[in-house]
Amino acid sequence: MIFCKECILPNTRPNLFIDSSGICNACINHKKKNNTDWSSRKKKFERLVSSIKKKNKIYDCLVPVSGGKDSTWQIVKCLSYGLKPLAVTWKTPSRTIIGERNLNNLINLGVDHLDFQVNPKVESKFMLETFKKFGSTGIPMHMAIFNIPIKVALKFNIPLIVWGENSAQEYGGQRVDIDSYELNQDWFKKYGVTQGSEPYDWVSKKLSKKDLGTYQGFEWSDLKKNKIYSIFLGHFFKWDAKNSYEIARKNGFKSNVKNLKTGIYSHSDIDCDFISIHHWMKWYKFGFTRAMDNLSIEIREKRITKRKSLQILKKIKDQKPTKDIKKFCKFVGISEEVFFKIADKHRNKNIWIKKNNKWKIKNFIIYFYYEIKKS
């Protein structure tokens, strides 16, 4: 593993590359973001809003939302520009109480809302299949999050879809992908967290084409044909986790200080219990954690030193979400023993070694940081 000289992320993170100077593309992208002419981009957004309003549709825009802080930030921003949004949610099968409260708060800011729930029997089978094959519980989630809102926009002929930040910008991506303001088919294939698969690739004896139709059902060319823009709000307004949280908090969003699962933010990933498993499996597959992602953002924003971030990392370690793993096992119908056997199959043997019946990561950023007993 090779770690970035400036943040604490390794080259094993998907889409993250470290150049000859030892600096990762996420850090390089961030520096360029700080030099962006945000005033010019704001004016560009204002022109887009003006053109959208002239269409005089029932809904000016569609905003994919959850119970998270960024969803609230997106809605607040759209409302501040006089847009009428339709908020659309893929309802996670493990929605939390605080996630429900924050979603209700978002709706009460003044929007129509569609809560779309996938058949839980289909979802449990699908999640188990993707976990077995790729060690990922998040593939069905990401397919639903991206596909369902786009299908709704096409059905209701809504001219604008407003996403949050561009993850290629924040966590590592190619320049061409972070300079574009559109979430399109090319971006989705690279950064949509689906292992490059399409819903119908998962058709089997357990999952029929009809079962998986919820996750499919449109052509990307339909957006262009119907003159629907699919944009990242973070392209027009500088996205920062702390800033979006502060805006959300001032508009009624509540964080979850008492129940921090993965990462360092009490305001992130609190709307769904299963998202913690998706993040935790990065430890097995790539040798980094959600906390390392979060801490690296804080380093780039100069709110924390690299030295301090390593001290925090050493203290919190891998943050195994034990309770959420139990919930997931019950949902998909497997034992915890089977869960960890599957997880171990996806452990990256290029970076993990077993010594004295314990697993450890070779060349980790903290010497003798952590060892995991055999599951």
Side-chain angles (χ1 to χ4, degrees):
M1 294 176 75
I2 300 172
F3 288 85
C4 175
K5 286 183 178 179
E6 295 195 353
C7 70
I8 58 173
L9 288 175
N11 62 338
T12 50
R13 193 194 197 289
N15 300 308
L16 188 127
F17 307 99
I18 297 176
D19 68 11
S20 57
S21 68
I23 302 173
C24 75
N25 53 338
C27 285
I28 292 169
N29 293 342
H30 184 78
K31 289 175 183 177
K32 291 180 178 177
K33 184 169 75 169
N34 286 338
N35 295 323
T36 297
D37 184 351
W38 291 105
S39 177
S40 175
R41 291 199 178 183
K42 179 183 176 182
K43 290 177 182 177
K44 186 178 179 180
F45 182 75
E46 289 170 350
R47 290 193 297 271
L48 177 61
V49 167
S50 178
S51 67
I52 291 297
K53 286 182 177 179
K54 287 177 183 176
K55 293 179 182 290
N56 199 28
K57 300 288 186 180
I58 294 175
Y59 296 109
D60 297 312
C61 63
L62 181 149
V63 184
V65 302
S66 63
K69 66 175 180 20
D70 290 327
S71 301
T72 302
W73 172 68
Q74 289 159 245
I75 289 294
V76 168
K77 187 65 74 174
C78 288
L79 290 175
S80 72
Y81 277 88
L83 292 166
K84 183 184 178 183
L86 172 64
V88 176
T89 302
W90 160 72
K91 186 178 180 181
T92 165
S94 59
R95 180 178 286 171
T96 62
I97 293 173
I98 193 167
E100 182 80 26
R101 288 174 181 170
N102 281 325
L103 183 59
N104 288 335
N105 175 74
L106 178 153
I107 296 164
N108 289 328
L109 292 176
V111 296
D112 291 353
H113 176 249
L114 178 63
D115 207 9
F116 194 108
Q117 182 169 7
V118 178
N119 178 344
K121 292 182 178 180
V122 170
E123 203 149 34
S124 64
K125 291 176 186 177
F126 196 6
M127 290 178 79
L128 181 57
E129 290 304 300
T130 61
F131 183 53
K132 286 178 179 178
K133 186 169 182 178
F134 290 118
S136 173
T137 59
I139 291 175
M141 171 184 72
H142 287 97
M143 285 183 176
I145 285 171
F146 288 112
N147 283 302
I148 290 170
I150 293 174
K151 286 202 294 186
V152 173
L154 286 164
K155 292 290 184 184
F156 283 85
N157 196 22
I158 301 173
L160 180 66
I161 305 171
V162 182
W163 306 92
E165 83 276 20
N166 183 346
S167 60
Q169 167 81 62
E170 305 304 328
Y171 301 108
Q174 296 178 5
R175 195 71 216 167
V176 66
D177 300 316
I178 65 174
D179 283 340
S180 174
Y181 64 83
E182 290 186 282
L183 193 164
N184 54 30
Q185 185 175 18
D186 289 339
W187 186 95
F188 180 68
K189 282 185 176 180
K190 290 180 188 175
Y191 309 108
V193 199
T194 64
Q195 294 288 338
S197 67
E198 296 286 341
Y200 292 153
D201 294 338
W202 295 92
V203 172
S204 66
K205 290 181 180 179
K206 296 179 182 178
L207 291 165
S208 70
K209 192 171 182 179
K210 213 164 190 177
D211 289 335
L212 295 164
T214 304
Y215 303 91
Q216 192 83 36
F218 74 92
E219 298 292 334
W220 285 92
S221 59
D222 291 341
L223 292 177
K224 190 172 183 179
K225 190 188 304 179
N226 290 277
K227 297 180 180 179
I228 295 174
Y229 293 96
S230 175
I231 68 166
F232 292 111
L233 196 59
H235 175 86
F236 301 96
F237 302 95
K238 185 181 178 183
W239 180 87
D240 171 51
K242 185 177 180 181
N243 179 58
S244 64
Y245 166 63
E246 285 302 320
I247 291 172
R249 183 183 63 80
K250 289 176 182 177
N251 286 275
F253 176 87
K254 303 294 183 184
S255 59
N256 197 8
V257 179
K258 295 181 180 180
N259 191 26
L260 186 63
K261 294 182 179 180
T262 55
I264 65 167
Y265 299 134
S266 62
H267 49 68
S268 291
D269 305 319
I270 61 174
D271 52 322
C272 171
D273 284 330
F274 293 165
I275 190 66
S276 62
I277 301 170
H278 166 71
H279 288 311
W280 183 68
M281 281 301 297
K282 296 172 184 176
W283 182 232
Y284 273 48
K285 296 189 291 181
F286 310 115
F288 79 97
T289 65
R290 180 62 166 168
M292 292 168 74
D293 263 337
N294 294 163
L295 288 165
S296 293
I297 287 174
E298 294 302 297
I299 291 169
R300 293 182 201 120
E301 293 290 350
K302 301 189 184 305
R303 291 192 287 258
I304 194 173
T305 64
K306 187 172 183 177
R307 181 188 178 102
K308 179 64 176 177
S309 72
L310 292 175
Q311 290 173 348
I312 294 171
L313 187 62
K314 190 173 183 179
K315 182 179 180 180
I316 63 177
K317 300 183 178 177
D318 72 307
Q319 298 178 302
K320 182 166 71 174
T322 305
K323 290 182 180 179
D324 293 344
I325 289 172
K326 287 181 179 179
K327 288 180 183 178
F328 174 76
C329 289
K330 184 177 181 181
F331 180 67
V332 300
I334 60 173
S335 66
E336 290 179 58
E337 182 182 5
V338 169
F339 174 91
F340 285 108
K341 282 182 178 179
I342 295 171
D344 270 333
K345 287 180 182 178
H346 295 283
R347 193 189 294 273
N348 187 342
K349 303 304 192 302
N350 290 321
I351 60 175
W352 287 91
I353 59 171
K354 188 183 284 187
K355 195 172 183 180
N356 298 325
N357 207 34
K358 293 180 180 179
W359 287 103
K360 64 181 291 186
I361 294 178
K362 298 182 289 184
N363 306 318
F364 194 64
I365 196 168
I366 303 175
Y367 188 56
F368 288 143
Y369 158 78
Y370 196 57
E371 294 182 348
I372 294 182
K373 293 181 180 180
K374 184 178 178 182
S375 300

